[in-house]
Amino acid sequence: MKGSPVASETPETPVTSASGDEGTAGGAGRDAQRPAPRRGLTLVCLALAALLLVSVVVAIGLGPSVIAPAGTARYLWAALSGGEIRASEATTYQVVWEIRAPRVLLAALVGAGLSTMGVAIQAMVRNALADPYVLGVSSGASVGAVGVTVTGGLAGFGIHATSAGAFLGALAASALVYAAAAARTALSPLRLILTGVAMALGFQAVMSVIVYLIPGSEATSTVLYWTMGSFGAASWAALPVVAVAVLLGIAVLSRHSRALDVMALGDETAASLGVSPDRYRRGLLVLISLVTGAMVAVSGAISFVGLVMPHLVRMVVGAVHARVLAVAPLAGAVFMVWVDLVARTLVAPRELPLGVITALVGVPVFVTLMRRRAYMFGGR
């Protein structure tokens, strides 16, 4: 990123730590700090885009009834182009287009969104352990979904009433976190994190009370759905809102990637470079809340994706946010497509919660990253 005040494109430039030792900065080390060449970044993006396309076609074809990739591609093309299929293939076509395609595409969108929001929130609060749910968004969404399920509210939304309740709950949680964390001086990262954790515990207590007072209702299954994650309710009607939210979020963050670079250096440094950290932090809080709320409303809370994927991407392309934001959505989308495929096929006809798969993958990866001396979280 030419002219960036926080990253050097010159490989020979040494990185100096706080102790004055070259090559051992308190970040990802010289190799992780150094951005990948532009051509290398393009190749990585093209490779991930191709892998995503192949993954989508393969995932749509796999399930209780296996469909060859060529047949899957033919059905998808017929649906997109208005082509004709034989009457004997109508059932298979319905499985591909009406059931599996929206689910796989939703998985790709949510994976891309979680990875991107993870990058943003780690820069916003300058904390390597932050993920999109640290602000209590997922817990608020669960309370909203359970409340609608128990009371029958928002009936005007029809089959989307529970998702609408989850979205409103997520936004309410974000508003409460902002109101509680806001101070007269600035919206500090530490205050945001502590307030978000406290609010999340409070919302979880509310969910427990609802489930306890109304046993045998749908509240228990609703809580499990929104705390563990699933794409079982995916439909074409749910895709447009999520797609707009995720793509808009990625576009906005990419446009302000240089500000994220500066914010990651600390508030004093950001202010000296002409970036108002408090103003950007408030804007990021709104953006992250809206995008995360839209995703949680259709998929529930899926752990570890927004936490681990940003770190893995930084190890490949460096810590400059323009590069990280170019790769993270594609990497997250590929990962989530395969996670969903495993969740719905490993113990078929039963379906595993997505959070189980992501935790089984994310915990070992996270521990491995922590044990690597060459990598310090966040490239700082």
Side-chain angles (χ1 to χ4, degrees):
M1 189 165 61
K2 189 174 181 180
S4 170
V6 296
S8 173
E9 298 285 349
T10 307
E12 293 79 6
T13 301
V15 178
T16 306
S17 67
S19 63
D21 297 329
E22 291 186 352
T24 58
R30 182 164 53 190
D31 291 337
Q33 286 274 6
R34 185 186 305 149
R38 186 178 299 275
R39 182 178 179 183
L41 178 66
T42 302
L43 291 177
V44 170
C45 292
L46 290 176
L48 284 174
L51 179 59
L52 176 59
L53 180 61
V54 172
S55 300
V56 167
V57 174
V58 172
I60 292 175
L62 294 179
S65 59
V66 179
I67 304 169
T72 302
R74 182 167 60 85
Y75 292 133
L76 293 175
W77 177 249
L80 294 173
S81 63
E84 296 182 356
I85 59 170
R86 293 190 295 269
S88 59
E89 299 176 316
T91 301
T92 305
Y93 171 80
Q94 291 294 324
V95 169
V96 168
W97 183 249
E98 297 295 339
I99 299 176
R100 295 184 186 172
R103 175 170 182 147
V104 173
L105 292 178
L106 182 62
L109 285 170
V110 171
L114 288 176
S115 298
T116 306
M117 295 304 110
V119 173
I121 199 166
Q122 287 171 9
M124 182 182 76
V125 300
R126 301 200 309 276
N127 191 310
L129 296 177
D131 73 350
Y133 304 133
V134 75
L135 300 179
V137 174
S138 61
S139 300
S142 299
V143 171
V146 171
V148 169
T149 301
V150 171
T151 64
L154 301 179
F157 287 91
I159 61 174
H160 303 293
T162 306
S163 295
F167 181 69
L168 294 176
L171 294 186
S174 301
L176 287 175
V177 169
Y178 174 80
R184 293 183 178 180
T185 54
L187 192 65
S188 69
L190 180 60
R191 186 186 294 270
L192 266 177
I193 292 177
L194 293 178
T195 306
V197 171
M199 289 294 180
L201 293 174
F203 286 126
Q204 290 172 11
V206 172
M207 285 189 295
S208 299
V209 170
I210 294 175
V211 173
Y212 178 79
L213 294 178
I214 312 177
S217 68
E218 296 182 8
T220 302
S221 59
T222 303
V223 169
L224 290 176
Y225 175 87
W226 253 272
T227 54
M228 300 300 289
S230 173
F231 297 122
S235 66
W236 285 113
L239 281 177
V241 174
V242 181
V244 170
V246 170
L247 295 178
L248 183 61
I250 294 173
V252 172
L253 291 174
S254 298
R255 181 179 178 84
H256 295 280
S257 60
R258 184 173 178 179
L260 294 177
D261 286 331
V262 176
M263 288 181 63
L265 298 176
D267 287 6
E268 293 183 359
T269 304
S272 67
L273 293 172
V275 173
S276 173
D278 191 51
R279 180 170 62 88
Y280 271 100
R281 195 167 288 124
R282 295 175 192 274
L284 285 173
L285 177 60
V286 173
L287 178 66
I288 292 170
S289 300
L290 290 173
V291 177
T292 305
M295 292 187 294
V296 173
V298 295
S299 67
I302 305 172
S303 60
F304 277 100
V305 180
L307 173 63
V308 175
M309 291 305 297
H311 296 305
L312 294 178
V313 172
R314 291 189 190 101
M315 292 180 65
V316 176
V317 300
V320 178
H321 282 88
R323 301 173 184 274
V324 175
L325 290 171
V327 176
L330 294 170
V334 172
F335 176 70
M336 188 53 63
V337 167
W338 286 100
V339 165
D340 178 59
L341 178 61
V342 172
R344 61 185 170 86
T345 58
L346 186 62
V347 292
R350 301 183 65 183
E351 182 178 320
L352 289 173
L354 296 173
V356 172
I357 308 298
T358 55
L360 290 176
V361 175
V363 170
V365 170
F366 196 72
V367 172
T368 302
L369 286 176
M370 286 194 298
R371 294 178 61 86
R372 288 189 54 162
R373 293 184 178 182
Y375 180 79
M376 296 296 289
F377 290 107
R380 297 184 299 279

